Structure formats: structure tokens, C-alpha cells
Amino acid sequence: MSDITDLLDLLPVYYSRLFPFADYHRWLSYGNASYFSKREFSFTLSDDLYIRYQSFSDQKGLSDEIKRLLPHKIDIGAVYSAQPKDQKRGANFQPVERELVFDIDMTDYDEVRTCCKGADICGKCWKFMSLACKILDSALRLDFGYVHILWVFSGRRGIHCWVCDSAARNLSGQVRAAVAEYLQIIGGGEFMKKKVYLTGDKIHHSIKRALDIIDPVFIEMCVKEQNMLGTEEAIERFLPILPNDEDKQEMKVLFGKESTSEARWNVFVQYVESKRTGGERKWYLYRHLVEEVKLQYSYPRLDINVSKGLNHLLKSPFCVHPKTGKICIPFNASAVDKFDPDKVPTIMTLIEEINVYDVKDKAEEETYDLNKKRIKDYKKTSLNKSLHVFQEFLRHLEAERREQRLKGKLTADSMEF
């Protein structure tokens, strides 16, 4: 994005022709109009003006205000006990429901990725996001039984996960914290060198499943592409993970005899194996060491505070990222390996696509003058695919609601006898 002024010129067109207000309202009302009216939205405007506690009684109220204010960023908050915009929020004003959300940011991987740093991202480090998505998605489905999970690209260098099942939306803060802690296995801040500790003889089934997802890609991704043992600096970062000073010294000598990251990794695995099976008195220190290293270098790094709080705001899907111009698009977890952050549509390309389509369409109309049905604007653009993902997600949510209503009606009918 060259300049914020470009964005101000483009946002009126984006919000009036492309932002999916109808589907958006379908999602956030969950079939209940009063539910939508108690939802908090916050807007960040062009001069960094930040407005919280916005709420709207219906879809039109929301779309009119967004078209009027042209926010650079829209955040979605909780559903409250009263309408957030109501000035008389009072002492009893509190969040009552909220999707269970997760935020994974590439910058949290800076100590394990070597290809990029900070806000930068490339195809190599996107693989960390891809792994995080697969590991979290399977844990949420298989360990917690959640079904309605929306994955969204954050617009620059991360991903957001919205768990929208009714059971997830009704979780208390305490239970959210427990879910987040369960999924967070990397501990300690930047000064803690070893960040993963697996205790007991057996590895927990959820961690084992994560390792099954990591194993096929670990060598290629971490050992070779990220060159995790390829430089002096990388080795210095790696050695403190080992149980004691003697190991560190021995490992350093062994690494010195090899010249590639892969050869050093193989030496490390053999060394740990010899400690585990060679009658070492403290063999248990090495029991899960290889797995712990794999997890430390590739397991999802979550900002669990986002998941714990009911009143935490998270950037909305279909927002435009003000720095990159990219749209925060939903994607399918099952196709995350094919997701390319460089090919995400930007507000500039979308508006260009609409213009190109309209010019061509006008020329065709003049030639044939057919009584053609007007095509929806998003279908003229590369946003179509992501909207399809979003609509599919909504269809599943609505089908479940219909089913539950039917069950409720059947129960009510049978009780009349």
C-alpha cells in the first residue's frame, strides 16, 4: 500500500460495492436480531481515532455507519448484557457471550525463523502458520468437539481463528483460559531457553497428534529451509535446550565435525538415542527430548490473552489491512497448504477487477443489448472464492440451527400429549 490517502479514495468503493454486509449480519446475529444489537464493534479511523462500544440494531445501521465513517480497521467484540452504544451501560454492563478466538502472529516465531523478521513474511515462514492452523483445527474438532470454525488471514502476517459453536460462545472466562492453556505448550518468555517440557512416560494424545502433523514436514521446513543448525548463532540458540553442560560441550564438538544443518540434526538425534538406551542414569531427561525440540521449533505460538478474555476485540474478517491493502479473507483449513499470502487480493486489485469487468460488460451490452441479470460485484473479483468459503461456513451454522429448532419443536409437540 503506497499511501494511506490511496486507501481513503478506495474505501468508499470497497464498502459500498464489495464488503459483504448481508452475510456478515447473518453471521453475527446467529439467527437472533436482538443478539446482533448487543454486539460491540470498534472502528479505527484515518487519523488513528479509535471508537469503542459501537452497536447497531440491524444490518442497515451498521452498513450506513461504516460507509459514513470509512474505518481503516473494524474490530469485533463480545455480545453484552445491554447495547454497548447505550450511554446508560451501568454497573451491570458486562460481556455475556463471545466466540472463542485465537490469534497467531508471525512475529512470535522470530526466534525460530531465519528467512524473515518482524512484519515480513514469505512462503517459507508461512509454513509455520499452515502448521499452526492444522494443529489447532484438529485439536478444536477432535478434543473439544467444535464444528463451526472460521479461519481468517489477518491481512499481513498472521491468522485468526473464530470458534462459533453455541457451546464455545457461551464459555466462561475461566473455561476459555483452561482451553487456551491446554493448547499452549510453549512456555516461558524470551529468556527461557527450553520452552517445552513433556512429562511422564507417554506423550499426551493431543501432543502426539500435533507431532504426527509436524513430523512429515519438520526436516524440510525447520532443519533445511530455516537452517536451524546451520550457523554458529543458530547452534548457540539450540545448545541451551540440552539437559546439562556436559551435553552442551559434547554436542558442540559433534556439531563442529559436520557442515550442514541436516547432518547436525541427525547427529543430535543419534546422541539423544544413545543417552536414552545406553544405560544413562538420568535417561529420563532424554526420553522426549527430540519431540520437545520439534515442538519448540514448530508448534503454534498463541497469544493466549486474546483467547482468555470475553471482552477482547479481534480484527474483523473482510477488513482492509491499512499497511498492505490486503483483505482479511477467510480460508479453508483443509486447503491451508495452498494458501499464498502474496496472492491475497488487495483493495487496489479488487477495484481494478470491478472496473475492468464493468468496461467489458458495457461493451458487450452495447453490442448485444441483452436483458441481462445484474451480476453481484464480488463475483467480478478474486474475492469471490473467499466469500464462497464464508457462505459455506454460514450454511453449516444455519443448517444446525434449523435442526435444533426442529428438535425443540418435536420435543414440545411430544410433550403436549
Side-chain angles (χ1 to χ4, degrees), residues 362-372:
K362 199 167 185 310
E364 281 178 12
E365 267 180 27
E366 282 165 8
T367 315
Y368 302 108
D369 194 26
L370 297 173
N371 195 7
K372 279 202 308 196

Side-chain angles (χ1 to χ4, degrees), residues 230-286:
T231 63
E232 280 303 314
E233 191 193 349
I235 290 171
E236 287 308 316
R237 228 185 356 255
F238 178 85
L239 292 174
I241 298 172
L242 297 170
N244 55 52
D245 289 342
E246 193 187 324
D247 291 327
K248 289 169 198 161
Q249 291 308 320
E250 283 182 44
M251 215 60 254
K252 204 168 181 170
V253 171
L254 289 169
F255 281 169
K257 293 175 180 168
E258 305 297 340
S259 58
T260 68
S261 181
E262 194 179 7
R264 287 172 184 156
W265 172 256
N266 291 336
V267 162
F268 164 70
V269 173
Q270 286 158 10
Y271 179 83
V272 172
E273 193 52 34
S274 71
K275 289 283 190 182
R276 276 176 53 213
T277 55
E280 172 79 28
R281 198 160 54 87
K282 291 194 170 178
W283 63 272
Y284 54 86
L285 292 174
Y286 308 90

